[in-house]
Amino acid sequence: MLGNVVRVAAVAASGGGGRLGSSAAGAMLTSRTFLKRTRAGAVVKVVREHYLRDDIPCGAAACRLCGARPAGAGLEARPAGAASHLCPGPHYLLPDTNLLLHQIDILEDPVIKNVIVLQTVLQEVRNRSAPVYKRVRDMIANPEKHFYSFTNEHHRETYIEQEQGENSNDRNDRAIRVAVKWYNEHLKKMKNEENIQVIFLTNDRNNKEKALEEGITAYTCEEYIKSLMANPDLVDRLACISDEGKEIESGKIFFPEHLPLSKLQQGIKSGIYLQGTYRASRDNYLEATVWVHGDAEENKEIIIQGLKHLNRAVHEDIVAVELLAKDEWVAPSSVVLQDDSQNEDDIENEEEKENILKASVNKNMLRPTGKVVGIIKRNWRPFCGMLSKSQIKEARRHLFTPADRRIPRIRIETRQADTLEGQRIIVAIDGWPRNSRYPNGHFVKNLGNAGDKETETEVLLLEHDVPHQPFSQAVLSFLPKMPWSITEKDMKYREDLRQLCVCSVDPPGCTDIDDALHCRELENGNLEVGVHIADVSHFIRPGNALDEESAKRGTTVYLCEKRIDMVPELLSSNLCSLRSNVDRLAFSCIWEMNHKAEILKTRFTKSVINSKASLTYAEAQMRIDSAGMNDDVTTSLRGLNKLAKILKKKRIDNGALTLSSPEVRFHMDSETHDPIDLQTKELKETNSMVEEFMLLANISVAQKIYDEFSEFALLRKHPAPPPSNYDILVKAAKSKNLEIKTDSAKALAESLDKAESPAFPYLNTLLRILTTRCMMQAVYFCSGMDNDFHHYGLASPIYTHFTSPIRRYADIIVHRLLAVAIGADSTYPELTDKHKLADLCKNLNYRHKMAQYAQRASVAFHTQLFFKTKGEVNEDAYILFVRKNAIVVLIPKYGLEGTVFFEEKDKTKPRLDYNSEVPSLTVEDTTFRIFDKVKVNIMLDASNIQHQKIRMVLVEPKIPGKDVPANPTTEASVSNEPEKKKKKLQK
């Protein structure tokens, strides 16, 4: 029996196409009826209604036939595109879906204008690639490009029904040809002297043949681009789409075939194959790991070794893997291998390197091993790097070497090799046929000279996917109008705390001041302590362009001499920054405590404060220590410092970890902004003081928002590391006759405190640095999607981020949740949608991780600049890790880490004996263990301009037969053992 009738109406929306009249006058209805069974088993009749209209404008500015005017700039009346010898007359371009997907770099070039994007094409692009779809929408919105979106699927004369036996692909191809024909006939009716033609661009051979048969002017993208007389360089940006089948006959086959998606999906379902994310190795181009998706405990991480098994997967692709038989399993290699072969076909060299991997494998180290059988989703992006110019004279084919060592080299065709040599360029991958050792790609953009500070900073930001373009007008339009002042309306739900003696303590030169503190004695003898945080969520309202941009950026990124703000400067350095002697809006967390730092009461309120002093850590420390100073600010600081020490002791007694990582600070030349000095950062008592109260505020807020919103609280957790992570730490300590217990954070913290050696004071810091390396990453999550909230490093059952909303988007969400919880602001749907919050957390975790990597890369680049001017130096170092053919050392004076290799190209190889149990490496007759003290020579190796690196060579102990650099001219003063410095784990 039939249930209800469901009507599904498809109506033309104005999209990027024309504005449509609201009357249904020009509308006509086509409908299809079919039966559908619901989940409950009832049969319903579905009538799909599709409205057609004849008032959709063609978009041509000169057209008087279309009643409605196109939205936006539309197509130019006199198309002034690039001059083409194939189409000398005025013309518009109309590309098909594949051309838009694969040749987007060409279409984005300023030379290409007046392009008609059909609704059919736009919908297909949207379904197949979200990034390309966004780029196409941006071009349609850009008035200078004159791209016009035509709603052909709702135009009475261009809509077509799917014919019997015709698949949807062929139907769409036909719809595109119908639209081209309609345009050409329509434009002829304009009867103006221009006589504009519409040129159909397609790389599909069949579609092009059919178009030509139907009298349509059609070209491939390559034919059209090569016909542009004034723009020969554009040819370089053509995506290289090869017909794989044809090439195979001629070429040597390097790789097995990829299985089709349908087979992969069946195999994954039946458990023959595993699906996971492919992670290439930075150190060894013949090895990768695949992180398997899903919750299975075993085979979580699968090793892939050797070119054929890697089978053309690229870092971050989603792949299908087949596990090999156990007798074919391998161990993660400790060998460092870079792809430096000059000849593409040098397979013997590859095989020799693969054999090195298999040699001397410890049977206990074998791990699940597999091979890539197919690609589920490519995760290609544009890559930065440099051209390795071919040795062949006049050659057009060259190899491009990406800056990221995890990405394979890419073969591109270019006529501008001479110009591009020594430049940083961007290249996109187009495909990777079986008969090609490297993927094929095309040139996208030149960034500038390699080694230039601006170019290298741009590369660093692009490679770490840091959004850094200036804020758009749409975003800036949501900023408050200046001059800004606090109004009566702002005071509605706020407490006036301007009378309190509040002050801020930050690093020198800090302009984005997120937090301020106060401490005063109450009449009852207890203490009142307040943490006041910038009220950023007052200025950034949910869902507007400013909010969306901040959410996308996720975090402010601090490079050595540049800050990429998450929010525009008017907020970050002015209206939200809690500067001294100005009224500012804040969100306050206020406790009543006794003198033992026990919390008696907690309250949260939106407030107005007026900070009495903006101090640096050093200035605050000086006030606390100076007996002659007894003003209100200093008294407040002393009270805070006293309580902070008690809070810290309680936390450590509770099992919180105090870890260490060497952080460096550059002293810049005021004129050139080049680094002139480099030293490890000194941490003062006041750093710890501020940190204790920030931790306390974060924990108090976490508890409050979780109590109010058990399903929607945005929290931060730090998972306990799997026991195997600690192997290296335990072995290293054992080699120095120390015991490190790792069964709980408390046991670890206590054994680290006991691991002292009077003869070797720096040992404890080294152990803490090594412990940091064993840790997992802390992550944001939504409380309704997880049940493990524990923060291992802080030994806290619950934690979040509340104290830095100017530089972290997570804190803005936490502020909004807290404001709703105390009735100071209203909620909105996304705030209580746990799936939306989980997606947001995923982006925030990604952005934070990339920001961290970008910051490290910036330090590495500035360290290279420093040694470029300083020349060679000899310094004391300690061994952090022992590898099969190298040692990794840390130089405390500079907080610098580097690798000392014992095998050099074209030199006699020394006798190496690696023992993974200790671990130790014996070179000739000298044995190296973790934490041994050595002396190394440091210099900048600029032989590879793209991968300039700090080269370290062993000076002491001397190894017979090894060349040691002569005493460098700039002998650095031998530093004393640095004081034991401890730094908090990055929470």
Side-chain angles (χ1 to χ4, degrees), residues 592-620:
E592 186 177 329
M593 294 182 175
N594 60 23
H595 287 264
K596 292 181 190 163
E598 290 163 342
I599 298 171
L600 308 171
K601 278 184 202 158
T602 306
R603 69 190 183 91
F604 306 98
T605 177
K606 289 229 173 184
S607 60
V608 181
I609 63 164
N610 185 304
S611 168
K612 304 299 178 268
S614 304
L615 307 171
T616 65
Y617 289 118
E619 287 165 349

Side-chain angles (χ1 to χ4, degrees), residues 546-600:
L546 174 57
D547 182 46
E548 283 174 0
E549 181 65 23
S550 310
K552 179 182 139 194
R553 294 185 178 217
T555 176
T556 291
V557 180
Y558 294 90
L559 304 179
C560 289
E561 51 171 325
K562 187 176 184 173
R563 191 176 82 198
I564 313 292
D565 279 329
M566 179 183 85
V567 299
E569 193 178 16
L570 178 67
L571 296 183
S572 67
S573 295
N574 186 351
L575 302 185
C576 291
S577 184
L578 305 181
R579 307 192 300 196
S580 52
N581 304 313
V582 286
D583 293 350
R584 286 288 176 258
L585 302 180
F587 210 147
S588 301
C589 171
I590 299 168
W591 303 278
E592 186 177 329
M593 294 182 175
N594 60 23
H595 287 264
K596 292 181 190 163
E598 290 163 342
I599 298 171
L600 308 171

Side-chain angles (χ1 to χ4, degrees), residues 888-924:
V888 179
V889 299
L890 173 76
I891 294 149
K893 179 174 181 186
Y894 298 125
L896 182 63
E897 207 175 295
T899 308
V900 175
F901 290 100
F902 293 111
E903 294 176 331
E904 285 177 71
K905 244 186 172 174
D906 313 323
K907 292 213 176 155
T908 341
K909 290 186 177 176
R911 197 172 70 251
L912 300 178
D913 182 15
Y914 174 69
N915 178 340
S916 60
E917 285 308 301
V918 178
S920 70
L921 175 67
T922 304
V923 183
E924 296 296 339

Side-chain angles (χ1 to χ4, degrees), residues 464-478:
H464 294 96
D465 195 12
V466 174
H468 60 287
Q469 59 290 357
F471 289 100
S472 69
Q473 276 315 115
V475 168
L476 298 173
S477 68
F478 286 98

Side-chain angles (χ1 to χ4, degrees), residues 185-202:
E185 284 160 16
H186 178 78
L187 294 175
K188 268 185 199 147
K189 292 177 195 164
M190 283 175 14
K191 293 192 172 60
N192 61 356
E193 71 281 5
E194 290 297 330
N195 197 8
I196 299 168
Q197 198 183 3
V198 172
I199 309 287
F200 178 39
L201 293 185
T202 177

Side-chain angles (χ1 to χ4, degrees), residues 301 367 721-730 742 774:
E301 197 183 325
R367 297 275 186 277
S724 61
N725 276 31
Y726 286 128
D727 289 354
I728 188 77
L729 175 71
V730 173
T742 59
C774 303

Side-chain angles (χ1 to χ4, degrees), residues 70-83:
L75 302 159
E76 288 178 298
R78 290 192 168 85

